[in-house]
């Protein structure tokens, strides 16, 4: 068995793991429930991303598959089936997503011993961002352009996928149920009790005062446009470490899209704003006022708009969504770190640095300048 290293934590690489690494014996037992061409032999690589345990498993014939384990507190086979239906639809539309394996009893995933397991065929290409924190920007403008192009392609393909939104109780989703409520506070008061452990976790924070102060001005700007939203499924977590690449250099192009764990029915403008939040702002450099990587964002938008034609109203929505896209996910992370993995550093990062900190940055002179620039860029006559 290949020894597992630590994980990427909220402040960088950590030696610990919140969820145990996949073992050889576990992989062999789990994969015996799937109709693979050969039995499993060994886990030869362990992923370092948090929230689940992942690994590449070598089969007896020399082929490999990707195995992922989720605790039932986060996902079960029913929840994973929601994601797989979207993945399969995109594959039918020619989007380069991973091939999912169904169990021998034709289930999307395997529920076993309090965990859910899903299996994917190996993605072609290279994981160029394997050692990079999830929210780091694209390495260069060519990567950014290709990343934008493929997100636009995904949004185009998603237009014919009509599945309903996922249940509100699902944790760690990129959703907008709260921020698209007419009343932000009423939306929170409906949604918070549905998130396991969140009500209790928030008793330690003055959220009734913090959230209106930080977020209400942005919600008031979005509210007049809520009636123009055209619902559509999105990826929910678009950043370069969720992409595979055709080469290893600056000219590499996206050739595979993975990790649909945060996907849900939102809209194209919201999902584009999520991608901008995750790839264009250097959140891990607060000492430098979280600089915006403008040239790579411009390339990303050029690629996206070359593939997907944002309507006039969608162009207005993107900068209106941007200061709010993190709200539900950040709150869900508060519950996750507080009640599941008991990580107080994670709780602080989710509540203070993420939920409130991002909103405070968007309200700062730098954030306001960026929102004005993005609005002007998307409205410019020369914008595709």
């Amino acid at each position: 068995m290949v020894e597992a290293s630590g994980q990427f934590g909220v402040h960088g690489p950590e030696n610990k793991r919140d969820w145990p690494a996949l073992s050889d014996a576990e992989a062999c037992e789990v994969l015996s429930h799937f109709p693979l061409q050969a039995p499993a032999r060994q886990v030869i690589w362990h992923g370092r991303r948090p929230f689940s345990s992942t690994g590449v498993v070598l089969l007896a014939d020399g082929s490999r598959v990707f195995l992922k384990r989720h605790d039932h507190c986060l996902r079960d086979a029913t929840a994973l089936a929601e994601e797989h239906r979207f993945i399969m639809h995109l594959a039918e539309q020619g989007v380069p997503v991973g091939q999912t394996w169904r169990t021998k009893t034709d289930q999307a995933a395997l529920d076993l011993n309090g965990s859910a397991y899903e299996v994917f065929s190996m993605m072609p290409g290279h994981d160029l961002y394997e050692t990079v924190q999830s929210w780091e920007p694209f390495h260069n403008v060519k990567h950014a352009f290709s990343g934008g192009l493929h997100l636009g392609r995904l949004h185009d393909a998603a237009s014919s996928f009509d599945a309903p939104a996922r249940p509100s109780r699902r944790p760690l989703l990129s959703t907008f149920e709260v921020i698209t409520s007419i009343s932000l506070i009423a939306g929170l008061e409906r949604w918070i009790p549905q998130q396991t452990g969140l009500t209790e976790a928030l008793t330690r924070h003055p959220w009734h005062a913090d959230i209106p102060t930080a977020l209400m001005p942005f919600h008031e700007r979005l509210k007049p446009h809520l009636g123009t939203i055209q619902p559509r499924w999105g990826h929910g977590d678009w950043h370069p470490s969720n992409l595979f690449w055709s080469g290893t250099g600056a000219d590499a192009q996206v050739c595979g899209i993975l990790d649909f764990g945060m996907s849900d029915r939102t809209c194209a403008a919201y999902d584009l704003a999520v991608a901008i939040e995750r790839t264009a702002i250097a959140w891990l450099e607060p000492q430098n006022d979280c600089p915006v990587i403008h040239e790579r964002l411009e390339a990303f938008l050029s690629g996206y708009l070359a593939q997907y034609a944002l309507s006039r109203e969608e162009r207005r929505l993107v900068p209106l969504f941007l200061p709010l896209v993190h709200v539900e996910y950040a709150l869900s992370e508060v519950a996750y770190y507080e009640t599941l993995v008991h990580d107080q550093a994670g709780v602080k990062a989710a509540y203070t640095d993420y939920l409130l900190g991002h909103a405070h940055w968007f309200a700062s002179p730098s954030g306001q300048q960026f929102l004005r620039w993005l609005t002007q860029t998307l409205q410019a006559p020369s914008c595709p």
Side-chain angles (χ1 to χ4, degrees):
M1 175 178 173
V2 175
E3 184 177 353
S5 56
Q7 67 181 17
F8 285 112
V10 293
H11 298 300
E14 300 173 338
N15 291 326
K16 71 178 183 70
R17 297 179 70 93
D18 291 329
W19 304 105
L22 294 165
S23 69
D24 291 345
E26 177 186 16
C28 290
E29 179 184 6
V30 168
L31 292 178
S32 70
H33 293 268
F34 290 81
L36 302 176
Q37 57 267 37
R41 285 290 181 260
Q42 182 184 15
V43 182
I44 60 173
W45 175 87
H46 294 276
R48 301 173 64 193
R49 306 293 169 187
F51 308 128
S52 63
S53 296
T54 59
V56 174
V57 182
L58 179 68
L59 306 185
D61 64 356
S63 63
R64 300 170 297 157
V65 294
F66 185 83
L67 177 62
K68 189 169 188 177
R69 185 218 302 132
H70 308 261
D71 188 274
H72 271 170
C73 293
L74 299 174
R75 297 289 184 271
D76 58 15
T78 300
L80 293 176
E82 298 160 2
E83 301 165 17
H84 288 202
R85 282 191 287 272
F86 185 40
I87 293 170
M88 288 187 288
H89 172 83
L90 295 173
E92 292 168 357
Q93 303 299 310
V95 179
V97 293
Q99 176 195 343
T100 60
W101 283 83
R102 300 184 70 83
T103 69
K104 291 177 179 177
T105 57
D106 199 35
Q107 302 301 306
L110 176 69
D111 284 326
L112 183 68
N113 299 328
S115 297
Y117 297 85
E118 56 182 337
V119 179
F120 295 86
S121 295
M122 292 301 297
M123 193 79 73
H126 304 272
D127 186 359
L128 297 186
Y129 293 78
E130 177 186 349
T131 61
V132 175
Q133 282 279 89
S134 293
W135 286 27
E136 292 283 359
F138 290 96
H139 289 332
N140 56 65
V141 294
K142 291 184 177 180
H143 285 191
F145 182 89
S146 184
L149 187 77
H150 281 79
L151 181 60
R153 186 177 178 187
L154 184 151
H155 286 170
D156 190 46
S159 64
S160 53
F161 186 67
D162 60 0
R166 303 175 73 177
S168 298
R169 67 181 181 276
R170 297 267 185 265
L172 300 178
L173 292 183
S174 193
T175 64
F176 68 177
E177 180 179 339
V178 170
I179 65 171
T180 57
S181 300
I182 294 298
S183 166
L184 181 66
I185 299 304
L188 284 165
E189 290 175 340
R190 286 193 306 269
W191 180 82
I192 286 171
Q194 299 181 69
Q195 292 283 302
T196 301
L198 184 54
T199 298
E200 179 185 354
L202 287 176
T203 61
R204 299 166 179 81
H205 305 278
W207 71 271
H208 282 97
D210 289 342
I211 290 181
T213 300
L215 298 170
M216 195 70 80
F218 297 116
H219 186 261
E220 287 299 310
R221 294 172 201 166
L222 172 65
K223 190 160 60 175
H225 300 268
L226 294 178
T228 69
I229 293 171
Q230 299 294 316
R232 181 171 307 197
W233 273 67
H235 182 275
D237 194 25
W238 193 267
H239 53 76
S241 57
N242 278 337
L243 304 171
F244 264 56
W245 302 83
S246 61
T248 58
D251 294 331
Q253 302 293 303
V254 173
C255 65
I257 304 165
L258 63 152
D259 199 350
F260 285 78
M262 292 171 59
S263 60
D264 201 0
R265 184 174 174 85
T266 53
C267 69
Y270 171 91
D271 205 42
L272 176 57
V274 169
I276 293 170
E277 184 207 24
R278 280 153 171 67
T279 63
I281 305 164
W283 298 113
L284 302 182
E285 297 182 33
Q287 71 280 5
N288 296 325
D289 194 26
C290 304
V292 176
I293 301 89
H294 280 93
E295 74 285 354
R296 275 167 271 184
L297 176 55
E298 289 173 351
F300 181 85
L301 291 172
S302 293
Y304 180 86
L305 293 168
Q307 182 64 45
Y308 180 83
L310 281 174
S311 69
R312 179 177 298 179
E313 190 55 42
E314 285 174 322
R315 291 170 188 253
R316 292 194 186 100
L317 281 169
V318 174
L320 294 172
F321 272 130
L322 189 52
L324 296 164
V325 290
H326 68 296
V327 171
E328 283 141 87
Y329 186 73
L331 284 168
S332 194
E333 278 198 338
V334 171
Y336 172 85
Y337 285 115
E338 181 75 54
T339 64
L340 280 182
V341 297
H342 310 292
D343 179 350
Q344 288 305 306
V347 173
K348 179 184 179 300
Y351 185 85
T352 303
D353 302 337
Y354 187 16
L355 175 66
L356 302 180
H358 283 203
H360 292 158
W361 183 85
F362 280 113
S364 73
S366 295
Q368 289 291 294
Q369 182 181 18
F370 173 53
L371 290 173
R372 287 192 296 271
W373 174 88
L374 182 61
T375 300
Q376 293 166 0
T377 299
L378 288 172
Q379 297 295 331
S382 59
C383 198

mmCIF file of all heavy atoms in Angstrom, residues 97-124:
data_model
loop_
_atom_site.group_PDB
_atom_site.id
_atom_site.type_symbol
_atom_site.label_atom_id
_atom_site.label_comp_id
_atom_site.label_asym_id
_atom_site.label_seq_id
_atom_site.Cartn_x
_atom_site.Cartn_y
_atom_site.Cartn_z
ATOM 1 N N VAL A 97 -16.340 14.788 -19.420
ATOM 2 C CA VAL A 97 -16.461 14.462 -17.999
ATOM 3 C C VAL A 97 -16.034 13.014 -17.788
ATOM 4 O O VAL A 97 -15.923 12.230 -18.732
ATOM 5 C CB VAL A 97 -17.900 14.674 -17.511
ATOM 6 C CG1 VAL A 97 -18.269 16.145 -17.546
ATOM 7 C CG2 VAL A 97 -18.890 13.856 -18.350
ATOM 8 N N GLY A 98 -15.816 12.643 -16.525
ATOM 9 C CA GLY A 98 -15.387 11.289 -16.220
ATOM 10 C C GLY A 98 -16.506 10.271 -16.376
ATOM 11 O O GLY A 98 -17.677 10.564 -16.109
ATOM 12 N N GLN A 99 -16.153 9.068 -16.802
ATOM 13 C CA GLN A 99 -17.127 7.988 -16.918
ATOM 14 C C GLN A 99 -17.403 7.403 -15.542
ATOM 15 O O GLN A 99 -16.499 6.982 -14.831
ATOM 16 C CB GLN A 99 -16.622 6.869 -17.827
ATOM 17 C CG GLN A 99 -17.559 5.675 -17.906
ATOM 18 C CD GLN A 99 -16.922 4.435 -18.503
ATOM 19 O OE1 GLN A 99 -15.882 4.534 -19.147
ATOM 20 N NE2 GLN A 99 -17.517 3.284 -18.278
ATOM 21 N N THR A 100 -18.672 7.383 -15.136
ATOM 22 C CA THR A 100 -19.055 6.801 -13.849
ATOM 23 C C THR A 100 -19.350 5.317 -14.018
ATOM 24 O O THR A 100 -19.854 4.879 -15.059
ATOM 25 C CB THR A 100 -20.300 7.495 -13.281
ATOM 26 O OG1 THR A 100 -21.392 7.331 -14.203
ATOM 27 C CG2 THR A 100 -20.049 8.985 -13.083
ATOM 28 N N TRP A 101 -19.034 4.544 -12.981
ATOM 29 C CA TRP A 101 -19.336 3.112 -12.969
ATOM 30 C C TRP A 101 -20.525 2.867 -12.050
ATOM 31 O O TRP A 101 -20.600 3.407 -10.947
ATOM 32 C CB TRP A 101 -18.145 2.314 -12.453
ATOM 33 C CG TRP A 101 -17.053 2.159 -13.471
ATOM 34 C CD1 TRP A 101 -16.065 3.038 -13.763
ATOM 35 C CD2 TRP A 101 -16.868 1.031 -14.335
ATOM 36 N NE1 TRP A 101 -15.264 2.554 -14.757
ATOM 37 C CE2 TRP A 101 -15.724 1.312 -15.130
ATOM 38 C CE3 TRP A 101 -17.533 -0.183 -14.519
ATOM 39 C CZ2 TRP A 101 -15.247 0.427 -16.088
ATOM 40 C CZ3 TRP A 101 -17.059 -1.065 -15.471
ATOM 41 C CH2 TRP A 101 -15.934 -0.764 -16.248
ATOM 42 N N ARG A 102 -21.455 2.029 -12.491
ATOM 43 C CA ARG A 102 -22.574 1.605 -11.668
ATOM 44 C C ARG A 102 -22.243 0.255 -11.038
ATOM 45 O O ARG A 102 -21.437 -0.510 -11.566
ATOM 46 C CB ARG A 102 -23.860 1.522 -12.491
ATOM 47 C CG ARG A 102 -24.247 2.876 -13.108
ATOM 48 C CD ARG A 102 -25.563 2.806 -13.834
ATOM 49 N NE ARG A 102 -26.700 2.649 -12.939
ATOM 50 C CZ ARG A 102 -27.290 3.652 -12.302
ATOM 51 N NH1 ARG A 102 -26.848 4.898 -12.448
ATOM 52 N NH2 ARG A 102 -28.328 3.431 -11.511
ATOM 53 N N THR A 103 -22.854 -0.027 -9.908
ATOM 54 C CA THR A 103 -22.600 -1.294 -9.233
ATOM 55 C C THR A 103 -23.200 -2.454 -10.029
ATOM 56 O O THR A 103 -23.946 -2.257 -10.993
ATOM 57 C CB THR A 103 -23.217 -1.292 -7.827
ATOM 58 O OG1 THR A 103 -24.654 -1.300 -7.947
ATOM 59 C CG2 THR A 103 -22.777 -0.067 -7.027
ATOM 60 N N LYS A 104 -22.892 -3.655 -9.587
ATOM 61 C CA LYS A 104 -23.438 -4.854 -10.239
ATOM 62 C C LYS A 104 -24.951 -4.930 -10.105
ATOM 63 O O LYS A 104 -25.610 -5.617 -10.886
ATOM 64 C CB LYS A 104 -22.803 -6.103 -9.648
ATOM 65 C CG LYS A 104 -21.322 -6.258 -10.009
ATOM 66 C CD LYS A 104 -20.714 -7.486 -9.340
ATOM 67 C CE LYS A 104 -19.242 -7.639 -9.723
ATOM 68 N NZ LYS A 104 -18.598 -8.799 -9.030
ATOM 69 N N THR A 105 -25.504 -4.203 -9.133
ATOM 70 C CA THR A 105 -26.965 -4.138 -8.983
ATOM 71 C C THR A 105 -27.530 -2.856 -9.594
ATOM 72 O O THR A 105 -28.652 -2.459 -9.287
ATOM 73 C CB THR A 105 -27.366 -4.239 -7.500
ATOM 74 O OG1 THR A 105 -26.711 -3.188 -6.759
ATOM 75 C CG2 THR A 105 -26.965 -5.594 -6.926
ATOM 76 N N ASP A 106 -26.727 -2.195 -10.434
ATOM 77 C CA ASP A 106 -27.140 -1.022 -11.213
ATOM 78 C C ASP A 106 -27.439 0.201 -10.352
ATOM 79 O O ASP A 106 -28.327 0.998 -10.658
ATOM 80 C CB ASP A 106 -28.355 -1.350 -12.091
ATOM 81 C CG ASP A 106 -28.516 -0.333 -13.227
ATOM 82 O OD1 ASP A 106 -27.482 0.152 -13.740
ATOM 83 O OD2 ASP A 106 -29.672 -0.012 -13.587
ATOM 84 N N GLN A 107 -26.672 0.371 -9.271
ATOM 85 C CA GLN A 107 -26.771 1.576 -8.452
ATOM 86 C C GLN A 107 -25.647 2.545 -8.823
ATOM 87 O O GLN A 107 -24.556 2.131 -9.227
ATOM 88 C CB GLN A 107 -26.678 1.228 -6.965
ATOM 89 C CG GLN A 107 -27.741 0.246 -6.497
ATOM 90 C CD GLN A 107 -29.148 0.755 -6.727
ATOM 91 O OE1 GLN A 107 -29.501 1.852 -6.290
ATOM 92 N NE2 GLN A 107 -29.970 -0.039 -7.421
ATOM 93 N N ALA A 108 -25.925 3.849 -8.657
ATOM 94 C CA ALA A 108 -24.921 4.855 -9.008
ATOM 95 C C ALA A 108 -23.702 4.788 -8.105
ATOM 96 O O ALA A 108 -22.593 5.145 -8.513
ATOM 97 C CB ALA A 108 -25.529 6.255 -8.947
ATOM 98 N N ALA A 109 -23.896 4.346 -6.878
ATOM 99 C CA ALA A 109 -22.806 4.279 -5.912
ATOM 100 C C ALA A 109 -23.115 3.167 -4.925
ATOM 101 O O ALA A 109 -24.236 2.635 -4.879
ATOM 102 C CB ALA A 109 -22.629 5.610 -5.200
ATOM 103 N N LEU A 110 -22.142 2.830 -4.106
ATOM 104 C CA LEU A 110 -22.273 1.750 -3.145
ATOM 105 C C LEU A 110 -22.344 2.309 -1.733
ATOM 106 O O LEU A 110 -21.426 3.014 -1.297
ATOM 107 C CB LEU A 110 -21.078 0.795 -3.253
ATOM 108 C CG LEU A 110 -21.020 -0.348 -2.238
ATOM 109 C CD1 LEU A 110 -22.137 -1.359 -2.507
ATOM 110 C CD2 LEU A 110 -19.647 -1.020 -2.263
ATOM 111 N N ASP A 111 -23.416 2.016 -1.013
ATOM 112 C CA ASP A 111 -23.514 2.325 0.405
ATOM 113 C C ASP A 111 -22.995 1.133 1.198
ATOM 114 O O ASP A 111 -23.513 0.013 1.059
ATOM 115 C CB ASP A 111 -24.971 2.610 0.802
ATOM 116 C CG ASP A 111 -25.440 3.983 0.361
ATOM 117 O OD1 ASP A 111 -24.621 4.918 0.364
ATOM 118 O OD2 ASP A 111 -26.625 4.123 0.021
ATOM 119 N N LEU A 112 -21.975 1.362 2.018
ATOM 120 C CA LEU A 112 -21.353 0.266 2.747
ATOM 121 C C LEU A 112 -20.724 0.789 4.034
ATOM 122 O O LEU A 112 -19.924 1.732 3.998
ATOM 123 C CB LEU A 112 -20.279 -0.401 1.875
ATOM 124 C CG LEU A 112 -19.570 -1.626 2.449
ATOM 125 C CD1 LEU A 112 -20.539 -2.802 2.562
ATOM 126 C CD2 LEU A 112 -18.375 -2.007 1.564
ATOM 127 N N ASN A 113 -21.110 0.212 5.166
ATOM 128 C CA ASN A 113 -20.489 0.518 6.461
ATOM 129 C C ASN A 113 -20.488 2.015 6.784
ATOM 130 O O ASN A 113 -19.500 2.562 7.265
ATOM 131 C CB ASN A 113 -19.051 -0.016 6.494
ATOM 132 C CG ASN A 113 -18.995 -1.521 6.311
ATOM 133 O OD1 ASN A 113 -19.898 -2.236 6.732
ATOM 134 N ND2 ASN A 113 -17.936 -2.001 5.666
ATOM 135 N N GLY A 114 -21.593 2.679 6.509
ATOM 136 C CA GLY A 114 -21.710 4.087 6.854
ATOM 137 C C GLY A 114 -21.044 5.046 5.896
ATOM 138 O O GLY A 114 -20.929 6.245 6.189
ATOM 139 N N SER A 115 -20.607 4.539 4.755
ATOM 140 C CA SER A 115 -19.967 5.375 3.737
ATOM 141 C C SER A 115 -20.602 5.110 2.379
ATOM 142 O O SER A 115 -21.241 4.071 2.168
ATOM 143 C CB SER A 115 -18.461 5.097 3.655
ATOM 144 O OG SER A 115 -17.800 5.427 4.855
ATOM 145 N N ALA A 116 -20.415 6.050 1.467
ATOM 146 C CA ALA A 116 -20.844 5.882 0.081
ATOM 147 C C ALA A 116 -19.606 5.934 -0.810
ATOM 148 O O ALA A 116 -18.743 6.807 -0.635
ATOM 149 C CB ALA A 116 -21.827 6.970 -0.316
ATOM 150 N N TYR A 117 -19.522 5.000 -1.742
ATOM 151 C CA TYR A 117 -18.367 4.897 -2.630
ATOM 152 C C TYR A 117 -18.810 5.089 -4.079
ATOM 153 O O TYR A 117 -19.814 4.518 -4.515
ATOM 154 C CB TYR A 117 -17.712 3.524 -2.503
ATOM 155 C CG TYR A 117 -17.135 3.216 -1.145
ATOM 156 C CD1 TYR A 117 -17.925 2.694 -0.131
ATOM 157 C CD2 TYR A 117 -15.782 3.432 -0.876
ATOM 158 C CE1 TYR A 117 -17.401 2.402 1.126
ATOM 159 C CE2 TYR A 117 -15.240 3.138 0.369
ATOM 160 C CZ TYR A 117 -16.060 2.628 1.365
ATOM 161 O OH TYR A 117 -15.525 2.339 2.598
ATOM 162 N N GLU A 118 -18.045 5.891 -4.819
ATOM 163 C CA GLU A 118 -18.287 6.042 -6.249
ATOM 164 C C GLU A 118 -16.998 5.754 -7.000
ATOM 165 O O GLU A 118 -15.889 5.969 -6.490
ATOM 166 C CB GLU A 118 -18.826 7.435 -6.581
ATOM 167 C CG GLU A 118 -17.966 8.590 -6.124
ATOM 168 C CD GLU A 118 -18.577 9.947 -6.430
ATOM 169 O OE1 GLU A 118 -19.415 10.051 -7.349
ATOM 170 O OE2 GLU A 118 -18.192 10.925 -5.760
ATOM 171 N N VAL A 119 -17.159 5.261 -8.233
ATOM 172 C CA VAL A 119 -16.022 4.813 -9.037
ATOM 173 C C VAL A 119 -16.081 5.493 -10.394
ATOM 174 O O VAL A 119 -17.150 5.577 -11.014
ATOM 175 C CB VAL A 119 -16.038 3.280 -9.206
ATOM 176 C CG1 VAL A 119 -14.855 2.826 -10.064
ATOM 177 C CG2 VAL A 119 -16.003 2.587 -7.844
ATOM 178 N N PHE A 120 -14.917 5.966 -10.853
ATOM 179 C CA PHE A 120 -14.798 6.616 -12.155
ATOM 180 C C PHE A 120 -13.667 5.962 -12.951
ATOM 181 O O PHE A 120 -12.658 5.531 -12.372
ATOM 182 C CB PHE A 120 -14.462 8.107 -12.008
ATOM 183 C CG PHE A 120 -15.543 8.925 -11.357
ATOM 184 C CD1 PHE A 120 -15.616 9.032 -9.974
ATOM 185 C CD2 PHE A 120 -16.482 9.593 -12.122
ATOM 186 C CE1 PHE A 120 -16.600 9.784 -9.368
ATOM 187 C CE2 PHE A 120 -17.477 10.351 -11.523
ATOM 188 C CZ PHE A 120 -17.537 10.452 -10.142
ATOM 189 N N SER A 121 -13.847 5.907 -14.256
ATOM 190 C CA SER A 121 -12.717 5.562 -15.114
ATOM 191 C C SER A 121 -11.672 6.666 -15.024
ATOM 192 O O SER A 121 -12.001 7.817 -14.716
ATOM 193 C CB SER A 121 -13.181 5.397 -16.566
ATOM 194 O OG SER A 121 -14.067 4.301 -16.685
ATOM 195 N N MET A 122 -10.442 6.328 -15.303
ATOM 196 C CA MET A 122 -9.385 7.319 -15.229
ATOM 197 C C MET A 122 -9.554 8.388 -16.295
ATOM 198 O O MET A 122 -9.875 8.098 -17.445
ATOM 199 C CB MET A 122 -8.016 6.647 -15.377
ATOM 200 C CG MET A 122 -7.648 5.755 -14.208
ATOM 201 S SD MET A 122 -7.604 6.631 -12.615
ATOM 202 C CE MET A 122 -6.268 7.797 -12.914
ATOM 203 N N MET A 123 -9.342 9.614 -15.910
ATOM 204 C CA MET A 123 -9.452 10.747 -16.818
ATOM 205 C C MET A 123 -8.202 10.824 -17.688
ATOM 206 O O MET A 123 -7.089 10.622 -17.200
ATOM 207 C CB MET A 123 -9.580 12.033 -15.995
ATOM 208 C CG MET A 123 -10.005 13.253 -16.781
ATOM 209 S SD MET A 123 -11.766 13.298 -17.117
ATOM 210 C CE MET A 123 -12.455 13.682 -15.514
ATOM 211 N N PRO A 124 -8.349 11.090 -18.981
ATOM 212 C CA PRO A 124 -7.150 11.299 -19.804
ATOM 213 C C PRO A 124 -6.457 12.602 -19.431
ATOM 214 O O PRO A 124 -7.076 13.508 -18.846
ATOM 215 C CB PRO A 124 -7.714 11.356 -21.222
ATOM 216 C CG PRO A 124 -9.112 11.854 -21.048
ATOM 217 C CD PRO A 124 -9.591 11.257 -19.752
#
